[in-house]
Amino acid sequence: EGGSVCQRVPLRQERERLAWLERYAQRGGFVLEAVTIEGRPVQPAVVEHSPAVPAPAEPLIGGRREVGGVAQRLTFEPVLYEGILRITDEAAFRATLLNGIGPGKAYGMGLLSIGPTD
């Protein structure tokens, strides 16, 4: 029996990537006003049919972890989101900004950079 191991799968469709970000935004005290994924504009909460994004030849970031005495190889496919957000919960957003989002934080992903709009 033992514990089950969760296997993550890469999100390659823009709608999947946007849905992932929107889930974390809701928990993180903000909503998306405008967003680009890897430089391509997408409509928050409206993306229906988006093309699959080609997988990189090799994952850009990798690591190892041990679970139950078994070494596991970890690979990540980073995604760059840029856009405009609106803060809906200041305390939750502050925690999100300080802690980052997603499971790849220990590997330098999920970090937020913000600046004022004009």
Side-chain angles (χ1 to χ4, degrees):
E1 302 280 324
S4 65
V5 175
C6 176
Q7 182 174 357
R8 298 185 184 276
V9 295
L11 303 176
R12 295 204 171 113
Q13 302 254 338
E14 284 182 350
R15 64 183 157 80
E16 294 171 329
R17 291 175 171 186
L18 182 60
W20 180 92
L21 182 59
E22 287 177 328
R23 281 192 307 275
Y24 279 95
Q26 183 178 18
R27 291 181 239 168
F30 65 97
V31 294
L32 304 169
E33 299 280 324
V35 65
T36 64
I37 300 175
E38 300 294 345
R40 289 181 302 278
V42 294
Q43 294 296 316
V46 180
V47 174
E48 293 295 327
H49 304 287
S50 58
V53 177
E58 295 180 29
L60 299 177
I61 297 178
R64 292 196 148 316
R65 72 174 175 183
E66 189 172 310
V67 176
V70 177
Q72 295 179 334
R73 181 173 173 227
L74 303 173
T75 56
F76 298 95
E77 293 182 21
V79 176
L80 176 63
Y81 298 95
E82 295 180 288
I84 299 172
L85 61 82
R86 180 172 40 86
I87 298 170
T88 56
D89 180 332
E90 189 175 328
F93 182 74
R94 187 179 319 265
T96 299
L97 185 59
L98 291 172
N99 298 315
I101 60 175
K105 294 184 298 280
Y107 300 93
M109 292 186 285
L111 307 175
L112 303 177
S113 298
I114 61 168
T117 60
D118 294 334

